[in-house]
Amino acid sequence: QADTWNGLAHTAQQRRQRQKLVARQDWWNRDVEENSNGVGDSSTTDAGASVVTALQYPTVEFTNRSKISCLSFNPYIKSQLACSDYDGTVSLWDVSASGTPILNLGEHEKRTWSVDFSHVDPTRLCSGSDDGKVKIWTTNKRSSVMTIEGKANVCCVRFNPLHGNVLIFGSADHNVHCFDLRNPKQPLSVLRGHRKAVSYTRFLTPDEIISASTDSSLKLWNMRTQECVRTFSGHTNEKNFVGLTTSGSEWIACGSENNTMYSYYRNLSHPAVTHKFGNCNPVTGVEQPEDDPSLFVSAVCWKSKTNTLLSANSQGIIKVLELV
């Protein structure tokens, strides 16, 4: 169920030869075999992998008053979760408590696309909005402690994982903006190269950035030299948010508007691995081979320090994929 790019072995290390993605709709931390043994019914796909049909359900559920655009867990306070929504509000939740937000931060004037907790300071978070502003918040105040004025809609914002005063954001002006919060009036750098809006930014390492754009490309940037190291292409992304995630300092994954998940190795400009979603029958839940041009992969997330990737598409199908 996965296509492996034939040139991977020429650049990547030998141990990564013939890598592929295997679709495994199993429990997050268990093997398919364990789940198939008395847990629920199972069937066999064309590739021979077992598909578990046991029911799964959330342990906690909250209801937000508006559509949610982004979620971020506090890396230190494990029960603390922040979300941004279409009303422009950033809400702070305690997942171990009742279903009421412990703090609502409502200074943004338009839809808020992105929220992120600092990896250095557990009380600090940032948000970016269609109002062109990036706001810095602390978890013990209802008002923002800093505002960075952008020139266009802010689509994504991220803290540097090592340097707590450094953040980046992608904008509808086609650029990636880097700021040091100790001097917020001027950017550290503006990374130019995309032809359309920058929809996602991620740190591959503390000195390297991955950006995604609706020009159907990803770019790897070196923050020290402020240069584009490599451009990744192969997926299709012209109008939707299709997700972006990284694993360690080597692997990058994103969705695509052809209902396929794409994974790139940092030294290769073309996809190393892809996985095609089928068209799911709404009654039986079985994937059909027929393509639906309206479907796209909308979200991807690597499980930390593993080869496991979670991917979802616009039809509501969620798959757990493993790089083996």
Side-chain angles (χ1 to χ4, degrees):
Q1 293 195 10
D3 301 322
T4 306
W5 188 60
N6 293 329
L8 178 62
H10 297 301
T11 306
Q13 299 178 13
Q14 291 297 317
R15 63 185 176 85
R16 295 189 178 87
Q17 283 186 335
R18 301 186 308 172
Q19 288 181 335
K20 61 183 179 179
L21 279 178
V22 178
R24 301 176 64 194
Q25 295 175 323
D26 57 354
W27 297 101
W28 185 254
N29 290 311
R30 302 178 188 174
D31 292 332
V32 170
E33 292 78 7
E34 294 176 352
N35 280 304
S36 300
N37 186 15
V39 176
D41 296 333
S42 63
S43 58
T44 303
T45 66
D46 293 339
S50 295
V51 178
V52 178
T53 58
L55 291 176
Q56 303 181 33
Y57 56 89
T59 57
V60 180
E61 183 173 315
F62 297 130
T63 301
N64 197 55
R65 61 186 180 183
S66 180
K67 287 183 179 180
I68 294 172
S69 56
C70 184
L71 297 170
S72 178
F73 268 107
N74 191 319
Y76 294 96
I77 306 172
K78 302 300 184 181
S79 64
Q80 203 167 78
L81 174 70
C83 77
S84 58
D85 66 32
Y86 277 38
D87 281 345
T89 302
V90 175
S91 300
L92 196 63
W93 304 79
D94 184 347
V95 299
S96 63
S98 64
T100 302
I102 58 178
L103 194 62
N104 284 322
L105 309 171
E107 291 184 10
H108 282 297
E109 300 165 9
K110 294 183 179 180
R111 176 168 44 194
T112 303
W113 282 117
S114 182
V115 63
D116 188 44
F117 268 106
S118 169
H119 293 259
V120 178
D121 183 349
T123 67
R124 178 182 278 186
L125 64 158
C126 60
S127 59
S129 167
D130 270 344
D131 62 11
K133 298 174 183 178
V134 172
K135 288 187 176 289
I136 311 301
W137 315 85
T138 61
T139 57
N140 54 10
K141 291 184 179 180
R142 293 187 177 274
S143 58
S144 61
V145 296
M146 185 182 299
T147 299
I148 298 173
E149 298 276 355
K151 296 181 179 180
N153 306 47
V154 176
C155 304
C156 52
V157 59
R158 283 275 164 161
F159 275 110
N160 188 295
L162 184 61
H163 307 292
N165 288 310
V166 176
L167 63 75
I168 57 175
F169 65 87
S171 174
D173 66 0
H174 308 177
N175 301 323
V176 179
H177 302 260
C178 309
F179 275 84
D180 187 329
L181 300 182
R182 293 167 294 188
N183 183 24
K185 294 183 178 181
Q186 295 292 332
L188 285 174
S189 61
V190 179
L191 307 177
R192 297 178 171 89
H194 283 295
R195 292 176 284 106
K196 291 186 179 180
V198 176
S199 50
Y200 295 97
T201 53
R202 297 288 186 269
F203 281 94
L204 193 62
T205 70
D207 295 323
E208 295 176 309
I209 298 169
I210 291 289
S211 60
S213 168
T214 50
D215 62 8
S216 296
S217 75
L218 309 179
K219 288 184 180 291
L220 172 62
W221 306 87
N222 186 305
M223 288 188 66
R224 295 184 181 274
T225 63
Q226 301 180 22
E227 295 178 347
C228 178
V229 178
R230 183 163 287 103
T231 298
F232 306 92
S233 60
H235 63 286
T236 303
N237 182 204
E238 298 179 351
K239 58 182 179 180
N240 296 296
F241 285 88
V242 296
L244 178 68
T245 185
T246 60
S247 177
S249 61
E250 297 181 336
W251 288 95
I252 308 131
C254 67
S256 177
E257 287 162 2
N258 60 356
N259 208 24
T260 302
M261 188 285 304
Y262 286 76
S263 185
Y264 296 89
Y265 183 67
R266 61 168 295 148
N267 292 335
L268 302 174
S269 297
H270 301 286
V273 182
T274 65
H275 176 76
K276 177 76 173 178
F277 277 65
N279 184 7
C280 185
N281 186 304
V283 177
T284 65
V286 177
E287 289 188 8
Q288 308 296 324
E290 296 82 7
D291 285 336
D292 183 343
S294 68
L295 298 179
F296 61 96
V297 173
S298 55
V300 287
C301 181
W302 286 101
K303 187 180 180 184
S304 179
K305 299 179 181 179
T306 72
N307 290 332
T308 304
L309 175 68
L310 190 67
S311 184
N313 78 346
S314 56
Q315 199 174 25
I317 300 173
I318 301 174
K319 291 190 176 185
V320 180
L321 308 172
E322 186 175 15
L323 191 65
V324 296

Coordinates of all heavy atoms in Angstrom, one line a residue, residues 266-308:
R266 N 15.1 14.5 3.9 CA 15.6 15.8 3.8 C 16.7 16.0 2.6 O 16.9 17.1 2.2 CB 16.3 16.2 5.1 CG 17.5 15.4 5.5 CD 18.2 16.0 6.7 NE 18.8 17.3 6.3 CZ 19.0 18.3 7.0 NH1 18.6 18.3 8.3 NH2 19.5 19.4 6.6
N267 N 17.3 14.9 2.2 CA 18.3 15.1 1.2 C 17.8 14.8 -0.2 O 18.6 14.8 -1.2 CB 19.5 14.1 1.4 CG 20.3 14.5 2.7 OD1 20.3 15.6 3.1 ND2 20.9 13.5 3.3
L268 N 16.5 14.6 -0.4 CA 15.9 14.3 -1.6 C 14.8 15.3 -1.9 O 13.9 15.5 -1.1 CB 15.3 12.8 -1.7 CG 16.3 11.7 -1.4 CD1 15.5 10.4 -1.3 CD2 17.4 11.6 -2.4
S269 N 14.8 15.8 -3.2 CA 13.8 16.8 -3.5 C 12.4 16.2 -3.9 O 11.4 16.9 -4.0 CB 14.3 17.6 -4.7 OG 15.5 18.4 -4.3
H270 N 12.4 14.9 -4.2 CA 11.2 14.2 -4.6 C 10.7 13.3 -3.5 O 11.5 12.9 -2.6 CB 11.5 13.4 -5.9 CG 11.9 14.2 -7.1 ND1 11.1 15.0 -7.8 CD2 13.2 14.3 -7.6 CE1 11.8 15.6 -8.7 NE2 13.0 15.2 -8.7
P271 N 9.5 12.9 -3.5 CA 8.9 12.1 -2.4 C 9.7 10.8 -2.3 O 10.0 10.1 -3.2 CB 7.5 11.8 -2.8 CG 7.1 12.9 -3.8 CD 8.4 13.2 -4.5
A272 N 9.9 10.4 -1.0 CA 10.6 9.1 -0.8 C 9.5 8.0 -0.6 O 9.7 6.9 -1.0 CB 11.4 9.2 0.5
V273 N 8.4 8.4 0.0 CA 7.3 7.5 0.2 C 6.0 8.2 0.1 O 5.8 9.3 0.4 CB 7.4 6.9 1.7 CG1 6.3 5.9 2.0 CG2 8.8 6.3 2.0
T274 N 5.0 7.4 -0.5 CA 3.6 8.0 -0.6 C 2.6 6.9 -0.1 O 2.9 5.7 -0.2 CB 3.3 8.4 -2.0 OG1 3.3 7.2 -2.9 CG2 4.3 9.4 -2.6
H275 N 1.5 7.3 0.3 CA 0.4 6.4 0.6 C -0.9 7.0 0.1 O -1.3 8.1 0.5 CB 0.3 6.1 2.1 CG -0.9 5.3 2.4 ND1 -0.9 3.9 2.2 CD2 -2.1 5.5 3.0 CE1 -2.0 3.4 2.6 NE2 -2.8 4.4 3.0
K276 N -1.6 6.3 -0.8 CA -2.9 6.7 -1.3 C -4.1 6.3 -0.5 O -4.2 5.1 -0.2 CB -3.0 6.2 -2.8 CG -4.3 6.5 -3.5 CD -4.3 7.9 -4.0 CE -5.5 8.2 -4.9 NZ -5.6 9.6 -5.3
F277 N -4.9 7.3 -0.1 CA -6.2 7.0 0.5 C -7.2 6.5 -0.5 O -7.2 7.1 -1.6 CB -6.7 8.2 1.3 CG -6.1 8.4 2.6 CD1 -4.8 8.7 2.8 CD2 -6.9 8.4 3.7 CE1 -4.2 9.0 4.0 CE2 -6.4 8.6 5.0 CZ -5.0 8.9 5.1
G278 N -8.1 5.6 -0.1 CA -9.2 5.2 -1.0 C -10.4 6.1 -0.8 O -10.4 7.0 0.1
N279 N -11.4 5.8 -1.5 CA -12.7 6.5 -1.4 C -13.6 5.6 -0.5 O -14.0 4.6 -0.9 CB -13.3 6.8 -2.7 CG -14.6 7.5 -2.6 OD1 -15.0 8.0 -1.6 ND2 -15.3 7.7 -3.8
C280 N -13.8 6.1 0.7 CA -14.5 5.2 1.7 C -16.0 5.2 1.5 O -16.6 6.3 1.4 CB -14.2 5.7 3.1 SG -14.8 4.7 4.5
N281 N -16.6 4.0 1.4 CA -18.0 3.9 1.4 C -18.6 4.3 2.7 O -18.3 3.8 3.7 CB -18.4 2.4 1.1 CG -19.8 2.2 0.8 OD1 -20.7 2.6 1.6 ND2 -20.2 1.6 -0.3
P282 N -19.6 5.3 2.6 CA -20.1 5.9 3.9 C -20.9 4.9 4.7 O -21.2 5.1 5.9 CB -20.9 7.1 3.4 CG -21.3 6.7 2.0 CD -20.1 6.0 1.5
V283 N -21.4 3.8 4.0 CA -22.3 2.8 4.7 C -21.4 1.7 5.3 O -21.6 1.4 6.5 CB -23.3 2.3 3.7 CG1 -24.2 1.2 4.4 CG2 -24.2 3.4 3.2
T284 N -20.6 1.1 4.5 CA -19.8 -0.1 5.0 C -18.5 0.3 5.6 O -17.9 -0.5 6.3 CB -19.5 -1.0 3.8 OG1 -18.7 -0.3 2.8 CG2 -20.8 -1.4 3.1
G285 N -18.0 1.5 5.3 CA -16.6 1.9 5.8 C -15.5 1.3 5.0 O -14.3 1.5 5.4
V286 N -15.8 0.6 3.9 CA -14.7 -0.1 3.1 C -14.3 0.9 2.0 O -15.0 1.6 1.4 CB -15.3 -1.3 2.5 CG1 -14.2 -2.0 1.6 CG2 -15.8 -2.3 3.5
E287 N -12.9 1.0 1.9 CA -12.4 1.8 0.8 C -12.6 1.3 -0.6 O -12.4 0.1 -0.8 CB -10.9 2.0 1.1 CG -10.6 2.9 2.3 CD -9.1 3.2 2.4 OE1 -8.4 2.9 1.4 OE2 -8.7 3.8 3.4
Q288 N -13.0 2.1 -1.5 CA -13.2 1.8 -2.9 C -12.0 2.3 -3.7 O -11.4 3.3 -3.4 CB -14.5 2.4 -3.4 CG -15.7 2.0 -2.5 CD -16.0 0.6 -2.4 OE1 -15.9 -0.1 -3.4 NE2 -16.5 0.1 -1.3
P289 N -11.7 1.6 -4.8 CA -10.6 2.1 -5.6 C -10.9 3.3 -6.4 O -10.0 4.0 -6.9 CB -10.3 0.9 -6.6 CG -11.7 0.2 -6.6 CD -12.3 0.4 -5.3
E290 N -12.2 3.7 -6.6 CA -12.5 4.9 -7.4 C -12.0 6.1 -6.8 O -12.2 6.3 -5.6 CB -14.0 4.9 -7.7 CG -14.6 3.8 -8.5 CD -14.9 2.6 -7.6 OE1 -14.7 2.7 -6.4 OE2 -15.2 1.5 -8.1
D291 N -11.5 7.0 -7.6 CA -11.0 8.3 -7.1 C -12.1 9.3 -7.0 O -13.0 9.3 -7.8 CB -9.9 8.9 -8.0 CG -8.6 8.2 -7.8 OD1 -8.4 7.6 -6.7 OD2 -7.8 8.2 -8.7
D292 N -12.1 10.2 -6.0 CA -13.0 11.3 -5.8 C -12.1 12.6 -5.8 O -11.4 12.8 -4.9 CB -13.8 11.2 -4.5 CG -14.8 12.3 -4.4 OD1 -14.7 13.3 -5.1 OD2 -15.7 12.1 -3.6
P293 N -12.2 13.4 -6.8 CA -11.3 14.5 -6.9 C -11.5 15.6 -5.8 O -10.6 16.5 -5.6 CB -11.6 15.1 -8.3 CG -13.0 14.6 -8.6 CD -13.1 13.3 -8.0
S294 N -12.6 15.5 -5.1 CA -12.8 16.5 -4.0 C -12.1 16.1 -2.7 O -12.0 16.9 -1.8 CB -14.3 16.6 -3.8 OG -14.8 15.4 -3.2
L295 N -11.6 14.9 -2.6 CA -11.0 14.4 -1.4 C -9.5 14.8 -1.3 O -8.8 14.9 -2.4 CB -11.1 12.9 -1.3 CG -12.5 12.3 -1.2 CD1 -12.4 10.8 -1.1 CD2 -13.2 12.9 0.0
F296 N -9.0 15.1 -0.1 CA -7.6 15.5 0.0 C -7.2 15.0 1.4 O -8.0 14.9 2.4 CB -7.3 17.0 -0.2 CG -8.1 17.9 0.8 CD1 -7.5 18.4 1.9 CD2 -9.4 18.3 0.5 CE1 -8.1 19.2 2.8 CE2 -10.1 19.1 1.4 CZ -9.4 19.6 2.5
V297 N -5.9 14.8 1.6 CA -5.3 14.5 2.9 C -5.1 15.8 3.6 O -4.4 16.7 3.1 CB -4.0 13.7 2.8 CG1 -3.3 13.6 4.2 CG2 -4.2 12.4 2.2
S298 N -5.7 16.0 4.8 CA -5.9 17.3 5.4 C -5.0 17.4 6.7 O -4.8 18.5 7.2 CB -7.3 17.5 5.8 OG -7.8 16.4 6.6
A299 N -4.5 16.3 7.2 CA -3.7 16.4 8.5 C -2.7 15.3 8.6 O -3.0 14.1 8.2 CB -4.6 16.4 9.7
V300 N -1.5 15.5 9.1 CA -0.5 14.5 9.3 C 0.3 14.8 10.6 O 0.4 16.0 11.0 CB 0.6 14.5 8.1 CG1 0.0 13.9 6.9 CG2 1.1 15.9 7.8
C301 N 0.7 13.8 11.3 CA 1.5 14.0 12.5 C 2.3 12.8 12.8 O 1.8 11.7 12.9 CB 0.5 14.2 13.7 SG 1.3 14.6 15.3
W302 N 3.6 13.0 12.9 CA 4.5 11.9 13.4 C 4.4 11.7 14.9 O 4.3 12.7 15.6 CB 6.0 12.3 13.1 CG 6.4 12.2 11.7 CD1 6.6 13.3 10.8 CD2 6.8 11.0 10.9 NE1 7.0 12.8 9.6 CE2 7.1 11.5 9.6 CE3 6.8 9.7 11.2 CZ2 7.5 10.6 8.6 CZ3 7.2 8.8 10.2 CH2 7.5 9.2 9.0
K303 N 4.4 10.5 15.3 CA 4.5 10.2 16.7 C 6.0 10.4 17.2 O 6.9 9.9 16.5 CB 4.0 8.8 17.0 CG 4.0 8.5 18.5 CD 3.5 7.1 18.8 CE 3.5 6.8 20.3 NZ 3.1 5.4 20.6
S304 N 6.2 11.1 18.2 CA 7.5 11.5 18.6 C 8.4 10.3 18.8 O 8.1 9.3 19.4 CB 7.4 12.3 20.0 OG 8.7 12.7 20.4
K305 N 9.6 10.4 18.2 CA 10.7 9.5 18.3 C 10.3 8.1 17.9 O 10.8 7.1 18.4 CB 11.2 9.5 19.8 CG 11.8 10.8 20.3 CD 12.2 10.7 21.7 CE 12.7 12.1 22.2 NZ 13.1 12.0 23.6
T306 N 9.4 8.0 16.9 CA 9.1 6.7 16.3 C 9.0 6.8 14.8 O 9.1 7.9 14.2 CB 7.7 6.2 16.9 OG1 6.6 7.0 16.3 CG2 7.6 6.3 18.4
N307 N 8.7 5.7 14.1 CA 8.4 5.7 12.7 C 6.9 5.7 12.4 O 6.5 5.3 11.3 CB 9.1 4.5 12.1 CG 10.6 4.6 12.0 OD1 11.2 5.7 12.0 ND2 11.3 3.5 12.1
T308 N 6.1 6.0 13.4 CA 4.7 6.0 13.2 C 4.1 7.3 12.9 O 4.5 8.3 13.5 CB 4.0 5.5 14.6 OG1 4.6 4.2 14.9 CG2 2.5 5.3 14.4

